[in-house]
Amino acid sequence: MARVFEFLEYVAQSPDGVTFSQIVNDLAVPKSSLHSLLAVATNAGWIYQTEEAGRFRIGLRAWQVGLSYSALDSLAQIALPFMTAVRDQVHETVQLAVLDGIDNIYVAKVEAEHELRLVSTVGARLPAYATGIGKALLASLDEVELRRRMKGVKMGRFTPQTIRTMPALEAAVAEVRSNGYAEDDGEYTAGIHCVAVQVRGFEGRVVAAMSCSASTARLATATSSRTG
């Protein structure tokens, strides 16, 4: 059963679709087992195969199930007016994300109006240790829970600034708790600076985090114009 969910998540994270060979290589699935899995998933509507390229993509059934998870949609709708107000004030991209395990998942986004924009999508999943919005979310966990979730996790490198060790992550999370906000200075995408804050529900519990992202070059230009 776990392999089925792994397969569906893999296909869902590939917007251009995946080939039979890619699935075999990336998931190490025996070809005979994969033929059966693809047939069952296709018949049930979880995936479909494109005619022009023969690639497998996530199907309508996944969209239908996703619609039932209305809590995130409601959260996004409530947050959008505030996100838009922030975007209009600072003229940069604003995003909203929730924590799922050790990843942050983006549930809403308000684009900046200038040409140079942050390349990201609603529904994208990124490792929380490598993003400002993710660190804001991780700061809502206590030390024991943070260590439990990160146990055995290999912290990959996305840029030279990416956090790679547990002590460094714990220090960064402690700084978030102290400052009341998180930062990401090119840790996931080089040249992008992010500032993020936690979003709390009516009971005071952290339910999401909101971030504002801009290119470091544009920030430097703005700072220079104010001080010049």
Side-chain angles (χ1 to χ4, degrees):
M1 184 64 71
R3 176 52 64 92
V4 174
F5 289 123
E6 180 186 11
F7 163 73
L8 291 175
E9 289 179 0
Y10 170 77
V11 177
Q13 292 170 6
S14 305
D16 295 329
V18 291
T19 65
F20 185 91
S21 298
Q22 285 177 312
I23 301 171
V24 170
N25 294 331
D26 293 346
L27 299 185
V29 182
K31 292 183 179 180
S32 57
S33 299
L34 182 57
H35 279 297
S36 299
L37 178 58
L38 289 172
V40 172
T42 300
N43 291 335
W46 285 98
I47 65 171
Y48 70 94
Q49 188 174 18
T50 59
E51 295 181 1
E52 67 279 5
R55 290 176 170 268
F56 296 94
R57 302 182 66 179
I58 203 69
L60 182 61
R61 180 59 178 160
W63 175 77
Q64 291 172 322
V65 171
L67 285 180
S68 67
Y69 194 24
S70 59
L72 291 182
D73 183 60
S74 297
L75 175 63
Q77 292 304 314
I78 293 171
L80 277 172
F82 300 96
M83 296 171 65
T84 301
V86 173
R87 189 278 311 274
D88 292 345
Q89 182 174 0
V90 301
H91 308 294
E92 302 293 349
T93 297
V94 179
Q95 298 185 101
L96 184 76
V98 296
L99 186 64
D100 181 30
I102 60 169
D103 296 332
N104 54 261
I105 300 178
Y106 295 97
V107 297
K109 177 182 180 182
V110 179
E111 290 275 15
E113 295 178 348
H114 47 67
E115 292 184 0
L116 184 57
R117 301 178 181 180
L118 182 67
V119 179
S120 60
T121 58
V122 171
R125 174 189 293 265
L126 297 181
Y129 68 84
T131 68
I133 203 168
K135 286 185 286 184
L137 291 166
L138 291 177
S140 68
L141 307 176
D142 60 35
E143 289 81 359
V144 174
E145 179 62 14
L146 177 63
R147 294 192 192 101
R148 185 191 71 80
R149 295 195 187 193
M150 294 300 298
K151 184 177 181 180
V153 174
K154 183 178 179 181
M155 301 168 70
R157 176 180 177 178
F158 300 97
T159 76
Q161 283 69 47
T162 304
I163 293 175
R164 299 292 307 281
T165 67
M166 193 60 198
L169 177 60
E170 289 179 316
V173 169
E175 186 175 358
V176 174
R177 296 192 186 107
S178 176
N179 294 340
Y181 63 90
E183 289 187 89
D184 161 13
D185 190 7
E187 294 167 38
Y188 183 79
T189 302
I192 296 295
H193 192 98
C194 165
V195 177
V197 296
Q198 297 174 341
V199 177
R200 297 180 180 272
F202 293 111
E203 299 177 352
R205 183 174 60 88
V206 175
V207 295
M210 186 182 300
S211 70
C212 180
S213 303
S215 74
T216 52
R218 191 162 54 249
L219 288 175
T221 300
T223 301
S224 175
S225 64
R226 286 197 299 269
T227 59

